[in-house]
Amino acid sequence: MRGSVMRKIGILIGACGLTIALAACGSSQAPLQSATAGGAIPDDPVLLVNPFVGTQTGATDFGTGGGAGNTFPGATLPFGMVQFSPDTSFSDNFGGGYSYADTRLKGFSLTHLSGAGCAIFQDIGVLPLAKTVTASPVPPLAAGITSDNLATFDHASEQAQPGYYRVRLNPATAAPIDVELTATLRGGMARIEYPRGTPESLLVNAGNSVMGNGVASVAIDPVHREVSGSASSGRFCYQDNHYTVYFVAQFDQPFASYATWQKQILIPSGTSATDVSPLPLDYQPIPGGPTSLPGNPSTTAQAGAVLSFAPQAGAPVIMRVAISYVSVDNARANLQAELAGRDFDSVHAQAHQAWRKALSQIEIGGVALPLARTFYTALYHALLSPTVFSDVNGDYIGMNNAIHHTAHVEYANYSGWDIYRSQTPLLAMLDPQRGSDMVQSLVDDAAQSGWLPKWSFANQQSDTMVGDPADPIIASSYAFGARNFDTAAALDAMFKGATQPGQSGNPASLNNGYAERPGLAFYSALGYIPKEMDVPVLGNLLPVVSSQLVWGTAATALEYALDDFSIGRFADLLGKAEQVSAISARAGNWKNLFNPASGYIEPRSATGIFLPGYDTAGGDGFVEGNSAQYTWFVPQDMAGLIAMLGGTAAAQARLDAFFKQLNAGPQAPYAFLGNEPTLFTPWLYAWLQQPDKTAPIVREALTTLYDDTPKGMPGNDDLGTMSAWWVLAALGFNPGIPGTDVLLLNPPLIPHAVVHLSGGDLRIDGGGSAGRVQSLTLDGAPLDRAWLHYVEIARGGTLRYSLGDAASAWATAAAAVPPSFGDGSGSP
């Protein structure tokens, strides 16, 4: 970390986070100010991250993905294709595969999503056993492994750090096994130490995927000490989508014996096994509990390999493994490029350095260690997704199911509805080239499938969540500096999705039925989507997917209005005046859902009638929220909304009442800061000329809804969305108008910070203690507004806050309010 004192740090991550021992080693450079308890912040931010944060339920489960962060603690690199992580036996409701409350592991798999509200991936599981395997280790008609093969563990014998994970299996028995994991971009390594005098076995389970497998295959090559194969799975949020991942694992020791299994049949000395099973849409993986349909002998494909090793005088078994979504040959090439000839410690050291570089993009000072741990853990989680999808040779499998080749890095796994609100701007600011590649990947997806993604994973479209979030992702990325992508193709794809109703209909694409904008025909004709088009929802399952029926007609129409605004802003930045005029007026379609009789945005029928007796807190017509919450969801035109609410005083009173609770859930008329739709609402006071009211709300949310323990998230992290929101808010920012470069300001929780932007260093000073902003300067000049354009700080500079308890007139003038884009186009 630049400009900080070097420290020697010993670190152990356990049940309560981290225990840190510091020993200064001297430096000629002074660190950022840190006069609080705990001493100076360690020089290496990697040692401040607790990957267990978010793995345990820490808040009420409001039915929006659980009350935990749904993160995983295993080894990966920033945006890595491989996430080598443990899977606990009762983790199916935890999208990351790991529940901190569990005490048993079913193995270590290679692919995970961090913070998703639905389960997916967890492909190719490996599990060491200190016994001889004489029967198939998988139960009939069910995913997972049999209960007698599950390993026990406890947190006292478990460690995690970015790029590294270690655990002792069966620690209370006479035959414990020590497992260490580390990762490269497309691969990983395991170091396994078996107890002396016991059999040394390893399961390689190709049918390990959490949502079950349509195909599972393995092949053993004893001459080259290699196991390879593939796993096909899918059905994210129980939709009809499928992907295939390939793997190659190589070992440093010969196989003393080997076997394969297919379903419940173990084949000694078998060198290959493949199982195929159709995956019905309603299959639900229940650990240890069979789920089957009449006439279907198995609901999930089951195939794997059993390896045994001859004891080597206590020497560990080393496994090198890599994956590809293209082929086994590409997986082998990825392994060769990233892991061949490498020892475990050098790979771990390289992973550590990769994370140190990524996390050191932001330096902080003046905080106690718990807050520093929370900060860097949040930044860590914000840098996990989207993930690399192309192989070392540039190959990747496209959304048309064909192999493509790219000179840039292709990315996959976009939690679109979530990330545009916080993570997209953060990534664009910190790494414009990576942000550009991520946008180009979306443009590639549209070229191959016909439509921009909504919530995509691997090479699959998904109708999960609502709106058309690729539009604000692209526009915001461009606004915040990520501009090295095909902007013309991006704009064309955005306009197509906004103006042409339709569904993906190419049978080769495996995305049949995907509609970028369900209900578009009604939206285009009426300026809203009538309530009659609403689809009943069972959990996260959309029982009917079509180009007309939608989940949450009112919420979806509000998202479309913001999406159209984003397209207009992007077209304006590109100098495309004709496209601006063609789309910008639709940014005001939110007004068509404002019920003047109630003063709320509500669902509306096709005849134009608002529903009589409508419950504004009930959630009908909305998505993970309700009318009272979504009424504020007009970031592109807050001035217009304030006017319709009856003016500044009336809106102030409404907003004050809204914040009587900060995380009330989706069926209460208060804020729900543990989820996405109301994330920007604390900053609305800037439009109401009361910016002082933002600070205590943000501070309370940052410090009471989050902490540095496994329970430290108020809900699922949604691939880094909530973590990025935390990081930005702690620095004093909120990108509150998607599609623009507007940053709303609050007094930072972090007293001193340096953000290393591509254009120069941005220093932030003067935050931390509770109080009102007395004054703010940018590069020494007064800044009397609670917002700025990113372009004002893109080349670096210094933001210096002066805080105090006295009443302040800072940023309260009418001229100081943030922009409102009433017509959705150029100037506010």
Side-chain angles (χ1 to χ4, degrees), residues 105 166 221 241 300 308 332 568 627:
L105 293 176
R166 180 170 75 84
D221 181 350
N241 40 46
T300 181
S308 67
R332 188 176 292 112
S627 171

Side-chain angles (χ1 to χ4, degrees), residues 89-90 92 139-147 283-292 299-300 302:
S89 61
F90 297 112
D92 296 295
L141 307 178
I145 63 172
T146 55
S147 59
Y283 168 70
Q284 298 187 30
I286 303 172
T291 300
S292 61
T299 57
T300 181
Q302 297 175 310

